[in-house]
Amino acid sequence: MARVVVDVMLKPEILDPQGQAVANALPRLGVSDISSVRIGRRIEIEFAGEPDLDTAREIADKLLANPVIEDFSIRVDEAAGDAAQMSA
């Protein structure tokens, strides 16, 4: 089993109110050396066979991310394959 991870983030020029709320709360926790926080999503897609990055990219572009306000990156999660082999 192969896992592809899709990370979706707001584009840098888009305001991130969730990130700002977290950044504003950090001083109350005693953390003062953080200048910015951005909140995003992580989606894991598990393929039955080999990971198909083209299919994952199409899924991300058409379904998982809004290309007007979000960017996404795709990577194969090598650790998922290693964990599956260890449990077998």
Side-chain angles (χ1 to χ4, degrees), residues 16-56:
D16 183 356
Q18 282 183 304
Q20 285 183 330
V22 170
N24 291 340
L26 290 174
R28 291 190 295 273
L29 297 175
V31 179
S32 60
D33 57 345
I34 304 295
S35 62
S36 177
V37 176
R38 305 284 290 173
I39 304 291
R41 297 188 309 277
R42 171 186 163 120
I43 299 102
E44 297 179 356
I45 303 169
E46 292 189 3
F47 287 87
E50 290 297 311
D52 185 343
L53 294 179
D54 290 332
T55 298

Side-chain angles (χ1 to χ4, degrees), residues 37-86:
V37 176
R38 305 284 290 173
I39 304 291
R41 297 188 309 277
R42 171 186 163 120
I43 299 102
E44 297 179 356
I45 303 169
E46 292 189 3
F47 287 87
E50 290 297 311
D52 185 343
L53 294 179
D54 290 332
T55 298
R57 186 171 289 105
E58 184 176 0
I59 292 168
D61 189 45
K62 293 182 178 178
L63 181 64
L64 302 177
N66 178 346
V68 174
I69 63 169
E70 295 173 317
D71 291 326
F72 64 87
S73 63
I74 298 173
R75 62 185 165 81
V76 175
D77 185 1
E78 301 293 342
D82 295 343
Q85 288 176 354
M86 283 192 254

